[in-house]
Amino acid sequence: MPTRLLLLLAVAGAAVLADGRLLLPGDDAAVVLRLPSEAADAAAGEAAAGCEMTYGFLPCTDTALGNMFLVLAYGFLMFKAATYLSAGSELLLEILGPGIVGGLFLPILGALPDAMLILVSGLSGSKEVAQSQVLIGMGLLAGSTVMLLTLLWGSCVVVGKCDLSENSTATDSQDTKGFSLFGSGVSTDVQTSYAARIMAISVLPFIIVQIPKIFKLHSGHRLTVLLGLIVAALLVFAYCLYQIFQPWIQRRRLEYARLKHVMSGVLRHAQKHVFGRLLDEDGRPNIPVIEKLFCKIDQDNDGKLERGELQAFIIGVQFEDIDLDSSVAAEQVMADFDTSQNYAIEKGEFVNGILRWLEEAKRSVSASGAYSKKFLQDFHTRTRDEHNLLLGKDDEDGEDIKYPTWTCVKAISLLLLGTAMAAAFADPLVDAFHNFSNATSIPSFFISFIAMPLATNSSEAVSAIIFASRKKQRTLSLTFSEVYGGVTMNNTLCLAVFLALVYTRGLTWDFSSEVLIIFLVCTIMGLFTSFRTNFPLWTCFVAYLLYPLSLIMVYVLDFKFGWS
């Protein structure tokens, strides 16, 4: 409902801005909106109408302010499309698990909004119009890649930083050194460095398509575009196969979902059986009650919880109809709470861990984090169903998994809705960017480089920062792996779509400066992250600086040295 309301407001607001005045009661609304049934009459009466409505009814304007509004409106709808695709992908992963779904569908669906925008940027209009608009697609491709590897990568380091030990390894959940450039940072596992190497290799098609420019050849441009397209398509296929047979990224997601189920069971049990509520009437944490829970679990009253005491408590939780390994669950809780890594949980660590769990539970149930008295029950129900689906089998009592059909229908519906929205609003968004560029005389590349990635990558960026904020090596490894995976799909799938447009429509490949910044950023960050797993805080500034340097480089090469 909010999306529909926003769409109606966007259409009405854009119509007002397009006309340049408020719509008064005596005005002809049909003339302002120029609906298809009366388009001919309206066109005859308005000589000043120079824009073309997408699909014959979506509003258009030639003014900078009006197009800015349209960019924001259509950009938000593309953001919602990416959110629906992400949510549907996660549900599909929970149902079918890693492997074909996680390795084949998730990477493609994640890159779908970008690929759709690139596709429509070169399909519409004549060859001359397509040649001018395809620069928006290149701006999106370059901007998305650079944003992921600079702004998002650096932000994840800042948000996920922990204290570095003497061997430069980050200590999970321990952040006492503030913004020490060398004393705090993040650590990832070795598999994440493999993902960075794959990302660095994925720039190969860019190199192939630039061969005529590198060697100043007067022929062979069309052949190298075709060769680059073939190599990009083969790399997409190889990457998906790798994900299918080495689905470690998807397994990390599943492990995190299992931890969420342990969280929900413990919190719900504590809410029912401890004297008092974990949260007061205003939703504030009730610290004395949490401390009572600690004392209840601490059977030997030594002021700390050992693994055996946690396991005994988890056995008493009784996770309803779910067969959960109490030993594995106790190990997960110990790893999550024991920030001092002394194989025991002190009272302060326990209180901080429960507070973090409560905040995460509220955020999972409500996107705004608003407090509801039944949020623990809702959180428990959701995570229980997720856990059943993740197991992919019946419980030991022989009962069927609850609601798998409904979850499958929901996943497919979200995927179809996200795909339909991406397909529907990609074309008007590209037109709005193009018109805004014409109205402001700002090169369309720079507008699409900065603004469009925000619309298509916002949901992934928010998810990555939330994962990074847990300050754990395993969640940080997942975060950075998905960043590298997103760049890999940009360099393969999205580039393949772009090259297919250039080849089939006979467009000119003249994007040397754009290719150069993609190559440099991917190579620098790829080499920087491929052979190390520890990143002190100062490394975020390396990533941050690459973003403005990329913009400056394109400007200098295109407008000072005439590369465009």
Side-chain angles (χ1 to χ4, degrees), residues 85 103-119 137 140-141 144-145 198-199 201-206 228-240 484-502 509:
L85 287 169
L104 182 61
F105 293 115
L106 291 192
I108 293 176
L109 289 171
L112 184 62
D114 284 356
M116 200 74 70
L117 284 166
I118 291 171
L119 182 64
L140 170 63
L141 182 59
S144 178
T145 295
I198 294 172
M199 176 197 70
I201 295 172
S202 68
V203 300
L204 180 61
F206 285 106
L229 170 60
I230 294 172
V231 172
L234 289 175
L235 286 177
V236 173
F237 181 72
Y239 181 69
C240 290
Y484 303 146
V487 175
T488 300
M489 293 307 291
N490 282 347
N491 293 344
T492 54
L493 177 61
C494 293
L495 178 62
V497 172
F498 195 92
L499 292 176
L501 275 174
V502 172
W509 178 268

Side-chain angles (χ1 to χ4, degrees), residues 103-247:
L104 182 61
F105 293 115
L106 291 192
I108 293 176
L109 289 171
L112 184 62
D114 284 356
M116 200 74 70
L117 284 166
I118 291 171
L119 182 64
V120 301
S121 70
L123 281 180
S124 59
S126 63
K127 180 178 177 180
E128 290 72 21
V129 172
Q131 185 68 53
S132 64
Q133 285 199 351
V134 80
L135 188 61
I136 296 176
M138 176 53 74
L140 170 63
L141 182 59
S144 178
T145 295
V146 173
M147 188 197 80
L148 289 173
L149 288 178
T150 58
L151 300 183
L152 182 57
W153 193 94
S155 297
C156 288
V157 172
V158 174
V159 172
K161 67 181 179 64
C162 299
D163 295 343
L164 296 180
S165 61
E166 293 182 357
N167 60 353
S168 298
T169 301
T171 305
D172 284 356
S173 302
Q174 183 175 318
D175 186 16
T176 62
K177 297 181 180 179
F179 288 90
S180 172
L181 295 180
F182 297 92
S184 62
V186 300
S187 293
T188 60
D189 56 25
V190 67
Q191 286 86 357
T192 306
S193 64
Y194 300 158
R197 295 175 193 177
I198 294 172
M199 176 197 70
I201 295 172
S202 68
V203 300
L204 180 61
F206 285 106
I207 300 174
I208 292 174
V209 80
Q210 282 296 116
I211 288 177
K213 297 287 184 181
I214 295 173
F215 295 100
K216 298 181 179 179
L217 303 178
H218 298 291
S219 61
H221 293 75
R222 189 169 172 80
L223 177 61
T224 54
V225 168
L226 178 60
L227 184 59
L229 170 60
I230 294 172
V231 172
L234 289 175
L235 286 177
V236 173
F237 181 72
Y239 181 69
C240 290
L241 281 181
Y242 173 78
Q243 291 285 76
I244 290 172
F245 293 108
Q246 297 288 337

Side-chain angles (χ1 to χ4, degrees), residues 371-387:
Y371 171 62
S372 168
K373 290 184 178 180
K374 55 176 293 189
F375 84 96
L376 282 180
Q377 178 60 42
D378 293 341
F379 181 59
H380 180 76
T381 301
R382 177 178 299 185
T383 54
R384 179 197 61 200
D385 293 340
E386 286 180 2
H387 188 270

